[in-house]
Structures are given as structure tokens and as C-alpha cells.
């Protein structure tokens, strides 16, 4: 299982493809396929059949499709720019170390 620097709930920017420049929140990470689901990005039309049990009507529905993880960059909350992520250890109370992510542009801790 691979470790990604992008986490669920992060604000990311699409850097390539038809939605380049769009910013959205990560809804789901698909580790097996190296993809992420970003809200309001990579929208496709899907036909849905009606289901009387869940009271959903049929028709054409907009659905967010996954984007490859290499095509997104995390947007820093401090400097509001897409940036690379680094890791460092910060000392907490009682001398314990905690691993945190930081922005490579403004050097601020991200969380």
C-alpha cells in the first residue's frame, strides 16, 4: 500500500487536463488505482435507472470521476497557492515528537 502526501479533506488544484486550474476538496482516495475524487472536477454524465426502493428517479446525472493523483497539487491554507508537501518532526509537550506536513513554499505547518 502506497503512502500519499494528499489526504482526504485537503484542498487541491487540478494541474493538467480539461479541468486544469480548478480547486476542490478531496472526497475520496483510491489507493489501489492511484486516483483521487475531487469535488466539482472531472464531471461526467451518467445514465441512471429509476429505483423504486430508494425513491430515485432515472435520468442523466452528473457524476464526479476520479483524477490521477499525479495531476493534483495541494493548495496551502496559509499562502493560498498550489505547493509541494514536506514532512518534519515537531516537538510536542513532554518531549514527544509528532510528524507533521508543511508547505515547501511558505514553510508553514499544514494541519
Amino acid at each position: 500500500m502506497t503512502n500519499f502526501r494528499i489526504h482526504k479533506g485537503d484542498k487541491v488544484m487540478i494541474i493538467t487536463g480539461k479541468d486544469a486550474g480548478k480547486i476542490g476538496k478531496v472526497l475520496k482516495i483510491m489507493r489501489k488505482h492511484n486516483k483521487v475524487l475531487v469535488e466539482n472536477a472531472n464531471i461526467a454524465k451518467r445514465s441512471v435507472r429509476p429505483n423504486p426502493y430508494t425513491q430515485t428517479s432515472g435520468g442523466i446525472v452528473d457524476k464526479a470521476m476520479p483524477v490521477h493523483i499525479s495531476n493534483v497539487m495541494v493548495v496551502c491554507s496559509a499562502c493560498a497557492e498550489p505547493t509541494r508537501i514536506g514532512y518534519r518532526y515537531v516537538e510536542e509537550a513532554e518531549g514527544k515528537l509528532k510528524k507533521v506536513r508543511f508547505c515547501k513554499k511558505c514553510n508553514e505547518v499544514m494541519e
Side-chain angles (χ1 to χ4, degrees), residues 19-68:
D19 292 325
K22 283 191 180 180
I23 296 175
K25 191 172 79 170
V26 174
L27 302 174
K28 186 178 181 181
I29 296 178
M30 301 169 191
R31 294 183 186 281
K32 190 175 182 183
H33 302 290
N34 296 333
K35 295 189 177 197
V36 292
L37 196 65
V38 181
E39 69 177 351
N40 300 327
N42 202 18
I43 302 295
K45 302 267 187 196
R46 290 289 175 248
S47 296
V48 177
R49 297 185 80 173
N51 189 345
Y53 298 110
T54 59
Q55 275 117 29
T56 56
S57 59
I60 298 173
V61 178
D62 290 337
K63 181 181 178 186
M65 300 302 284
V67 179
H68 197 271

Side-chain angles (χ1 to χ4, degrees), residues 8-110:
K8 182 179 174 181
D10 281 348
K11 198 156 84 167
V12 295
M13 177 184 275
I14 310 286
I15 56 173
T16 59
K18 67 177 185 177
D19 292 325
K22 283 191 180 180
I23 296 175
K25 191 172 79 170
V26 174
L27 302 174
K28 186 178 181 181
I29 296 178
M30 301 169 191
R31 294 183 186 281
K32 190 175 182 183
H33 302 290
N34 296 333
K35 295 189 177 197
V36 292
L37 196 65
V38 181
E39 69 177 351
N40 300 327
N42 202 18
I43 302 295
K45 302 267 187 196
R46 290 289 175 248
S47 296
V48 177
R49 297 185 80 173
N51 189 345
Y53 298 110
T54 59
Q55 275 117 29
T56 56
S57 59
I60 298 173
V61 178
D62 290 337
K63 181 181 178 186
M65 300 302 284
V67 179
H68 197 271
I69 201 153
S70 67
N71 296 334
V72 297
M73 282 185 86
V74 175
V75 175
C76 177
S77 57
C79 61
E81 292 185 32
T83 182
R84 291 169 297 142
I85 301 295
Y87 284 100
R88 71 165 64 120
Y89 289 96
V90 176
E91 193 168 330
E92 284 188 333
E94 300 108 28
K96 292 188 179 180
L97 294 176
K98 181 181 180 184
K99 188 176 182 181
V100 293
R101 299 186 302 162
F102 71 96
C103 171
K104 292 260 187 158
K105 282 190 178 177
C106 65
N107 225 8
E108 286 290 319
V109 175
M110 304 211 28

